[in-house]
Amino acid sequence: KRILVLISGSGSNLQAILDHCASGKIAGEVVGVISNKADAYGLVRAKEAGVATSILAQQQFASREEYDAALLALMADYQPDLVVLAGFMRILSGDLVRHFAGRMINIHPSLLPKYQGLHTHQRAIDAGDSEHGASVHFVTEELDGGPVILQARVPIFEGDSADEVAARVQAQEHNIYPLVVRWFCEGRLQMVDGAVQLDGALL
Ligand code: GRF
């Protein structure tokens, strides 16, 4: 399967997926990495793995619609079977999301449906939660609202900083995201009528 990864930053989840492809655990290949930030460290990771990269900076475009039209064209050039959003910090328009319906997944650093949006670790701490985590979900037009495929849970301890919690969550992200990509590439995972099916059974 042809995997296209969209990033904006460090790309540690991209790295985890690259590693799982290299070791043969994922029956697929990362055929491209697109970043909206020219200085994203994930671009270095992609180049080191011999993966093609593209930068599409928003400054070149007057509106979200124009940016997303260019992004869609660029994405289509890679002919992806699966689009993986890995720390891509832009909201995607409905047209683009619909185009990749059932073929685009995202990882969000919270136990969805809790804490959609930003600053999830601090919000979980401020709420006094003892548990937090990350969720992999299919992307739908509802921001951070698509059906959840897999979650990982981590504890929050008294006195934890947001950075400490973030590190704990990220370590789990690097397990669950490659696993979901693996399932998808094995043809085991589908979105059917807005719900997740794994091995033909509804989750
Ligand atoms: C992750 O924490 C992910 O949950 C969020 O953005 C972060 C990306 O980190 N959407 P990285 O670029 O993969 O290191």
Side-chain angles (χ1 to χ4, degrees):
K1 293 267 160 85
R2 297 174 62 82
I3 304 163
L4 175 64
V5 184
L6 272 56
I7 63 165
S8 301
S10 114
S12 66
N13 281 285
L14 163 67
Q15 187 68 58
I17 291 165
L18 288 169
D19 292 348
H20 280 71
C21 290
S23 69
K25 288 190 191 126
I26 292 175
E29 184 193 352
V30 178
V31 293
V33 171
I34 299 175
S35 175
N36 64 322
K37 301 278 181 202
D39 61 353
Y41 183 66
L43 291 168
V44 176
R45 299 180 191 269
K47 282 174 192 149
E48 280 173 359
V51 173
T53 60
S54 305
I55 298 162
L56 195 65
Q58 45 257 44
Q59 293 83 337
Q60 305 161 228
F61 299 90
S63 67
R64 180 178 304 281
E65 287 67 34
E66 285 173 46
Y67 180 91
D68 278 16
L71 179 60
L72 176 54
L74 179 61
M75 292 168 76
D77 281 345
Y78 286 99
Q79 300 190 289
D81 298 303
L82 175 65
V83 176
V84 174
L85 305 182
F88 186 65
M89 300 301 286
R90 279 186 65 88
I91 295 170
L92 297 170
S93 62
D95 278 353
L96 194 148
V97 169
R98 276 191 298 275
H99 188 271
F100 292 106
R103 296 184 289 146
M104 182 154 65
I105 56 178
N106 181 45
I107 190 157
H108 181 77
S110 78
L111 294 172
L112 289 173
K114 288 183 101 168
Y115 311 126
Q116 301 174 345
L118 297 174
H119 310 301
T120 58
H121 309 303
Q122 192 59 54
R123 286 159 67 200
I125 291 169
D126 291 347
D129 293 0
S130 59
E131 198 178 50
H132 186 45
S135 306
V136 180
H137 63 93
F138 277 112
V139 176
T140 63
E141 288 178 63
E142 197 191 333
L143 182 68
D144 298 328
V148 170
I149 302 164
L150 186 61
Q151 294 182 315
R153 291 166 190 278
V154 302
I156 296 180
F157 300 114
E158 287 261 345
D160 270 349
S161 68
D163 283 350
E164 287 168 311
V165 173
R168 205 172 292 140
V169 170
Q170 278 234 329
Q172 292 307 317
E173 292 186 357
H174 302 157
N175 295 324
I176 62 172
Y177 217 2
L179 182 57
V180 169
V181 172
R182 174 181 181 158
W183 289 343
F184 188 92
C185 288
E186 290 171 348
R188 299 172 55 187
L189 192 60
Q190 278 158 313
M191 185 168 74
V192 180
D193 297 332
V196 178
Q197 270 192 9
L198 179 64
D199 293 335
L202 281 179
L203 288 194

